[in-house]
Amino acid sequence: MSTSIHRFTSAHRQAGGLRRVAFVLRAVARRQQVSSRPLNIALIGWAQGSIALPLLDAGYHVALIENDISIRRDAEQVAEECGLEGFSTTAEFSLERNEAVFDICIIDLSRRDLIQTALAVVRPHLEAHGRILVSGACSEGIAGWASFQSMLFSAGWRMRDAASTVALPSSLLRRPSKSGIVARTIETLMVHLLPFRRAAAWMGEAVPCDPERAYALHLMPSLGVGGAEKLVLDLTTGLRPKGFETGVISIISGGDLAPAFQERGIEARSLHRRDPFGVSTVIDLVRIFRLERPAIVHTHLFGADAWGRLAAFIARVPVVISTEHNINPSYSWIKRLVNRIFAKWTSAIVAVSDAVKGVSATRDRIPEAKLRVIPNAIDLSRVVSRGGHMFRDIPRLFIAARLYPQKDHATLLKALALIKRPWLLRIAGDGPLKHDLVRLAERLDISSRIEWLGVRHDVPQLLADSDVFCFPSRWEGLGNAVLEAAAAGVPVICSDLPPLHEVFQDNDVTFVESGNVPAWAHAIQDILDDPSDAIIRATRLVPRVHAGASLDRMVDAYAALYHDCLSHL
């Protein structure tokens, strides 16, 4: 941003003024990234134009809402003298007549007498996804800030971001000079060292919310394309009609699934973990929980389970829930000890299958009273039926899984190398083993019969275009990919794993011992030689999968669990 703050504002003469202006400018710039037009900004509290003028210089449209005509005239004169366009003033009672609509409202926090009025007056004139920004000093200290947060929440706004600043001696608060540089350096250091309650002023951003709906914040390590991530996408979407507000935070990184959350109107953010031990992650999460005040923190997978539950305990989040998605035989004793300790701070731990519940109870020693079984489900509306047609002349085999050791693509490749009749294998997914698997296929001399599709978002259509679905995993919590294939009527060959026996009977799919290459080759050969039986079994299985894997059923179970935990507070 090209704005010259010093040229248009006296903010450097205020306690932390430059930090407050910079905070607002950054927040506005983030909103501008999702808008194709200059933002319309409402300003309540003139404060010598310390925020309005830099915004005008940056090309935004700013309207001062002020009933005092003398202040409005002074503001118009200052903007004119600075040669800045896009500025207007209006009284509160003129808003309706002007039919004004704003993207952002900025409120001077020091004008406490205006805050209640501002929230009531401006809300009808904000866009659906508008924001409120606050900036200024508060003489009541942290108690004043806490009461302001409560006031915002009651009015339908939840804090999303905030920062503080410190008070420095007035002798240092001059126009930019060597002493000014020293002052800003000291302030930057102190603002990170002093507790939030010692702040002289605050800056904050608020987003619309419904105070009558419980806010459930889900934590994931990343937003890559995987079974757990898809479950969170479907769950956070389905919980909204059940009376919950939902949001998602990825701790380590974003991922290919992030746009899908945004398309469904679910805010998905990433913290981008910076240190190997997660200390900064816990600090960031504690800060987020205290600002946003979620009623429920729901964690998924180990990284989010550990750091998220610790932060929730420190921030005193009312309800903490964790979903265990897998059996995790590779977990070290340290990870299992962490799960055992953190279970004490967890309201409920959801296992996606009875097999996962058994492992959690025996290996992790989680109390039975904490464990609930809610089987995974799939979005049946996305399923594309294969139909009951016969296999192609060159049968298409398909596997959709991340290229990780757990998924054991190597066993499938070795088994296919033993089959001499024609076949084509399509592999959807990506991961750290891709290079090794490509080299293995070359050594086995089957590269020409394999299509490496990478990460795909059209898996339902790929399933419908397949003749056989292969699932050679060494272990699973349940296996959403198998459910999706069975729901589409695709014949399935899968590893003989306990969780899958909870869903399928022996004659529904072809079970094969995991890691047994000759057994896999024999099973594939049998289906390719005589596909009619497998097609009949797959077609007959479809209605039962649709009845048992309903997404509504899973969402209802989680909603009931949320309500149950909240009722015990």
Side-chain angles (χ1 to χ4, degrees):
M1 185 173 294
S2 61
T3 300
S4 173
I5 294 179
H6 295 296
R7 182 182 176 192
F8 293 112
T9 180
S10 59
H12 57 276
R13 299 183 183 277
Q14 307 167 12
L18 292 178
R19 286 178 56 80
R20 298 207 304 275
V21 174
F23 178 92
V24 169
L25 289 173
R26 286 195 299 269
V28 173
R30 286 196 302 269
R31 295 296 299 161
Q32 183 63 74
Q33 292 175 0
V34 297
S35 176
S36 58
R37 56 171 175 75
L39 298 180
N40 294 318
I41 301 171
L43 178 66
I44 298 179
W46 175 238
Q48 289 76 50
S50 59
I51 289 178
L53 297 178
L55 287 169
L56 287 167
D57 182 48
Y60 301 112
H61 299 161
V62 179
L64 171 64
I65 301 174
E66 174 61 59
N67 288 335
D68 190 325
I69 190 171
S70 62
I71 294 178
R72 296 207 306 270
R73 287 175 177 171
D74 175 63
E76 291 169 351
Q77 181 178 350
V78 171
E80 184 179 354
E81 290 174 353
C82 292
L84 298 174
E85 299 180 352
F87 183 66
S88 61
T89 63
T90 184
E92 293 172 5
F93 52 80
S94 301
L95 284 175
E96 291 295 339
R97 185 172 65 250
N98 297 340
E99 298 182 349
V101 178
F102 303 107
D103 301 284
I104 294 174
C105 176
I106 302 174
I107 302 174
D108 185 353
L109 187 59
S110 60
R111 298 286 299 275
R112 296 299 299 275
D113 59 314
L114 292 178
I115 292 175
Q116 286 279 29
T117 304
L119 294 173
V121 170
V122 176
R123 180 66 183 263
H125 299 276
L126 280 174
E127 295 281 5
H129 299 287
R131 294 288 190 270
I132 283 182
L133 301 177
V134 295
S135 170
C138 180
S139 59
E140 300 171 42
I142 193 68
W145 175 252
S147 67
F148 174 70
Q149 277 188 274
S150 299
M151 184 191 306
L152 270 179
F153 185 72
S154 299
W157 295 90
R158 175 180 290 111
M159 294 303 299
R160 175 49 46 85
D161 191 14
S164 61
T165 187
V166 297
L168 296 176
S170 58
S171 60
L172 292 177
L173 300 176
R174 303 172 182 169
R175 296 195 67 81
S177 63
K178 290 184 178 180
S179 63
I181 295 173
V182 171
R184 291 193 298 277
T185 302
I186 294 173
E187 182 189 42
T188 300
L189 291 173
M190 292 178 66
V191 79
H192 289 93
L193 295 175
L194 291 179
F196 202 64
R197 66 177 61 90
R198 299 294 182 184
W202 293 279
M203 304 82 74
E205 179 178 358
V207 298
C209 74
D210 185 346
E212 300 299 321
R213 294 158 63 91
Y215 179 38
L217 188 55
H218 289 249
L219 270 58
M220 297 285 298
S222 70
L223 298 177
V225 178
E229 292 81 358
K230 290 180 180 177
L231 180 142
V232 173
L233 174 62
D234 290 334
L235 182 56
T236 51
T237 303
L239 284 170
R240 292 183 141 188
K242 307 296 181 182
F244 295 92
E245 288 196 8
T246 56
V248 177
I249 293 178
S250 63
I251 289 176
I252 298 175
S253 63
D256 294 310
L257 210 58
F261 283 95
Q262 304 298 347
E263 289 171 4
R264 299 192 188 188
I266 300 168
E267 185 174 18
R269 296 165 280 167
S270 178
L271 297 184
H272 299 289
R273 178 169 65 95
R274 301 182 297 276
D275 66 275
F277 300 105
V279 176
S280 63
T281 299
V282 173
I283 293 173
D284 288 344
L285 287 174
V286 170
R287 178 173 170 273
I288 289 171
F289 295 161
R290 286 177 173 170
L291 276 177
E292 301 185 15
R293 301 182 179 185
I296 301 166
V297 165
H298 191 155
T299 65
H300 306 262
L301 306 178
F302 183 77
D305 282 341
W307 294 314
R309 286 190 284 182
L310 177 58
F313 172 75
I314 296 172
R316 298 182 180 179
V317 175
V319 173
V320 180
I321 293 173
S322 172
T323 293
E324 186 57 75
H325 294 266
N326 221 317
I327 290 175
N328 302 314
S330 61
Y331 270 15
S332 65
W333 67 269
I334 296 178
K335 287 187 176 181
R336 297 199 180 279
L337 178 61
V338 168
N339 279 342
R340 192 180 314 155
I341 294 173
F342 284 9
K344 299 177 182 178
W345 307 334
T346 311
S347 307
I349 297 173
V350 176
V352 299
S353 65
D354 287 325
V356 172
K357 178 184 177 181
V359 170
S360 297
T362 54
R363 293 185 190 172
D364 294 348
R365 300 181 189 175
I366 305 299
E368 289 272 355
K370 293 271 187 179
L371 292 168
R372 308 283 187 93
V373 176
I374 301 179
N376 287 351
I378 57 175
D379 186 355
L380 296 173
S381 66
R382 298 186 68 243
V383 171
V384 180
S385 176
R386 176 187 181 275
H389 57 77
M390 292 298 292
F391 289 1
R392 294 170 175 80
D393 292 337
I394 300 180
R396 288 184 181 176
L397 284 70
F398 180 57
I399 177 173
R402 294 172 296 169
L403 307 184
Y404 279 73
Q406 173 194 351
K407 304 303 181 180
D408 200 14
H409 293 73
T411 290
L412 178 60
L413 297 183
K414 293 174 184 177
L416 287 171
L418 300 177
I419 298 175
K420 304 309 178 184
R421 62 164 294 151
W423 53 264
L424 172 68
L425 175 64
R426 310 175 87 186
I427 300 176
D430 203 352
L433 292 185
K434 181 173 183 179
H435 178 69
D436 293 340
L437 291 172
V438 169
R439 291 184 61 185
L440 175 61
E442 291 171 350
R443 290 199 304 270
L444 296 172
D445 196 25
I446 57 174
S447 296
S448 61
R449 294 194 279 176
I450 297 177
E451 293 181 3
W452 302 90
L453 304 179
V455 174
R456 296 292 290 260
H457 298 285
D458 59 342
V459 169
Q461 186 59 55
L462 291 170
L463 279 169
D465 292 338
S466 301
D467 296 312
V468 179
F469 180 76
C470 301
F471 194 73
S473 289
R474 291 187 175 272
W475 68 86
E476 285 290 340
L478 185 58
N480 284 15
V482 184
L483 292 177
E484 292 173 0
V490 182
V492 172
I493 305 176
C494 61
S495 293
D496 192 2
L497 303 175
L500 295 178
H501 281 281
E502 297 176 27
V503 181
F504 305 113
Q505 299 175 5
D506 289 343
N507 63 342
D508 289 335
V509 299
T510 302
F511 286 110
V512 186
E513 181 185 357
S514 63
N516 189 328
V517 173
W520 270 89
H522 181 72
I524 295 172
Q525 184 74 56
D526 283 351
I527 283 186
L528 297 186
D529 287 345
D530 183 17
S532 57
D533 179 61
I535 294 172
I536 292 172
R537 286 187 293 155
T539 304
R540 190 172 55 216
L541 178 61
V542 170
R544 185 147 48 86
V545 174
H546 278 246
S550 166
L551 190 60
D552 288 339
R553 185 264 311 156
M554 183 189 74
V555 173
D556 285 341
Y558 273 105
L561 175 61
Y562 284 8
H563 285 301
D564 182 51
C565 292
L566 290 170
S567 68
H568 286 86
L569 295 179

